[in-house]
Amino acid sequence: MSPVFPMLTVLTMFYYICLRRRARTATRGEMMNSRRTIESNSRTSPLNAEVVQYAKEVVDFSSHYGSENSMSYTMWNLAGVPNVFPSSGDFTQTAVFRTYGTWWDQCPSASLPFKRTPPNFQSQDYVELTFEQQVYPTAVHVLETYHPGAVIRILACSANPYSPIPPAEVRWEILWSERPAKVNASQARQFKPCIKQINFPTNLIRLEVNSSLLEYYTELDAVVLHGTKDKPVLSLKTSLIDMNDLEDDDYEEKDGCGMDSLNKKFSSTALREGPNNGYFDKLPYEGDWERIG
């Protein structure tokens, strides 16, 4: 037997082992990616399925730093899974609004405020996001990667943008609202405010921001909507709190869900939130417009 033949046999066996190991690694990677996909779209519990989903599309917004023919610093980056989080810093793959601070409001070219703007209306910019499934929201998480603290209001809409049938009525409900507050850290965080329950499912979420207290542009990476397909039985906002989270020392600061915060929200809800549909309820009905005309 030629001495070359055993060498070929050894090389063949080595090549076969490498192929098997590569196939096993690829299969494991596919399984991990599939698991991540399932976990990012839905998470089930024995009693009521909890759906956890990232935003599917950005359907409307007031402004963004990037240009229309680019993906850098545009609101389109809010759709889908995170691109940057949990990293901190200035990244072009995030969503960035056009302004920060008060300089743009103090320059001579600044637009005058609307005369009928309520004094407690603090929103400066907004972005509207759609999700794949309509759910009764139990939580909304905003992944902020640079200079957080601009989000001041979160609303849910009763209309389904993907439904071929036009809705009989469109309702906007305030899930969470707070006055602008300065955050002393510029690092990334997962903003998890306590939201109130609503009596309709939604897949259209609106974030409103106020960047007047920021020292630089705020950057958002993704939005996660938690919810259930069936209407929750519990109606109190406190029932949505995980009691295990109360052991965390930073619980009240990070999530804003401490008992003091809840008591403050309960006592000021009627004064601060106004009608259930926000300021849309202040507009006259169509019949009133006809009488005015």
Side-chain angles (χ1 to χ4, degrees):
M1 180 181 297
S2 173
V4 179
F5 186 79
M7 181 63 68
L8 291 176
T9 303
V10 172
L11 291 175
T12 302
M13 292 180 62
F14 179 77
Y15 180 69
Y16 175 75
I17 293 173
C18 290
L19 286 179
R20 288 292 302 272
R21 181 173 298 178
R22 181 179 179 183
R24 189 176 304 170
T25 304
T27 304
R28 185 180 303 169
E30 292 171 0
M31 291 176 62
M32 291 297 293
N33 291 334
S34 176
R35 181 179 178 184
R36 291 193 188 100
T37 302
I38 294 174
E39 290 180 350
S40 66
N41 288 331
S42 63
R43 210 178 285 165
T44 59
S45 59
L47 297 178
N48 191 7
E50 183 191 34
V51 180
V52 181
Q53 50 187 336
Y54 290 99
K56 180 180 180 180
E57 289 182 90
V58 176
V59 293
D60 198 10
F61 56 89
S62 57
S63 72
H64 56 191
Y65 184 84
S67 60
E68 293 297 325
N69 57 354
S70 172
M71 288 297 293
S72 299
Y73 300 122
T74 61
M75 288 297 118
W76 318 121
N77 290 325
L78 271 180
V81 299
N83 298 312
V84 175
F85 190 86
S87 298
S88 299
D90 187 3
F91 292 90
T92 60
Q93 301 95 326
T94 57
V96 181
F97 290 99
R98 187 172 51 122
T99 61
Y100 71 92
T102 58
W103 61 267
W104 64 277
D105 200 22
Q106 298 173 353
C107 61
S109 60
S111 58
L112 297 175
F114 292 105
K115 294 182 179 179
R116 298 182 60 184
T117 302
N120 60 340
F121 184 79
Q122 302 289 331
S123 300
Q124 296 176 337
D125 277 297
Y126 73 89
V127 58
E128 293 179 1
L129 307 160
T130 58
F131 296 80
E132 185 70 33
Q133 303 182 53
Q134 279 194 313
V135 295
Y136 291 91
T138 56
V140 177
H141 296 176
V142 183
L143 306 185
E144 305 171 286
T145 55
Y146 203 40
H147 290 275
V151 178
I152 62 169
R153 195 153 74 151
I154 302 175
L155 301 94
C157 185
S158 61
N160 182 359
Y162 301 120
S163 175
I165 303 174
E169 65 171 351
V170 178
R171 295 179 54 194
W172 283 96
E173 189 83 15
I174 298 175
L175 300 179
W176 172 85
S177 179
E178 193 58 82
R179 299 184 67 84
K182 186 177 179 61
V183 177
N184 295 324
S186 62
Q187 287 78 17
R189 73 169 184 176
Q190 186 174 6
F191 181 50
K192 301 183 291 183
C194 282
I195 64 173
K196 73 175 184 180
Q197 287 189 353
I198 56 177
N199 58 5
F200 59 83
T202 184
N203 64 340
L204 177 57
I205 296 295
R206 176 186 177 111
L207 303 182
E208 296 184 357
V209 303
N210 183 308
S211 305
S212 61
L213 299 181
L214 299 183
E215 298 178 355
Y216 196 70
Y217 296 97
T218 186
E219 299 189 7
L220 310 179
D221 194 14
V223 178
V224 190
L225 174 62
H226 297 241
T228 56
K229 300 292 291 183
D230 300 326
K231 188 174 182 179
V233 178
L234 300 176
S235 59
L236 289 177
K237 190 189 303 184
T238 51
S239 64
L240 298 178
I241 300 176
D242 186 354
M243 299 307 293
N244 293 327
D245 290 342
L246 294 176
E247 298 176 359
D248 190 349
D249 294 335
D250 297 329
Y251 173 71
E252 184 173 345
E253 178 181 353
K254 291 189 296 183
D255 297 347
C257 296
M259 294 307 298
D260 293 339
S261 177
L262 282 175
N263 292 333
K264 177 182 176 183
K265 286 182 173 58
F266 280 133
S267 61
S268 61
T269 297
L271 297 176
R272 181 165 45 81
E273 291 186 352
N276 288 337
N277 288 333
Y279 295 105
F280 292 104
D281 282 343
K282 295 182 179 294
L283 297 175
Y285 291 102
E286 293 183 2
D288 296 335
W289 286 113
E290 293 176 359
R291 287 194 294 270
I292 294 174

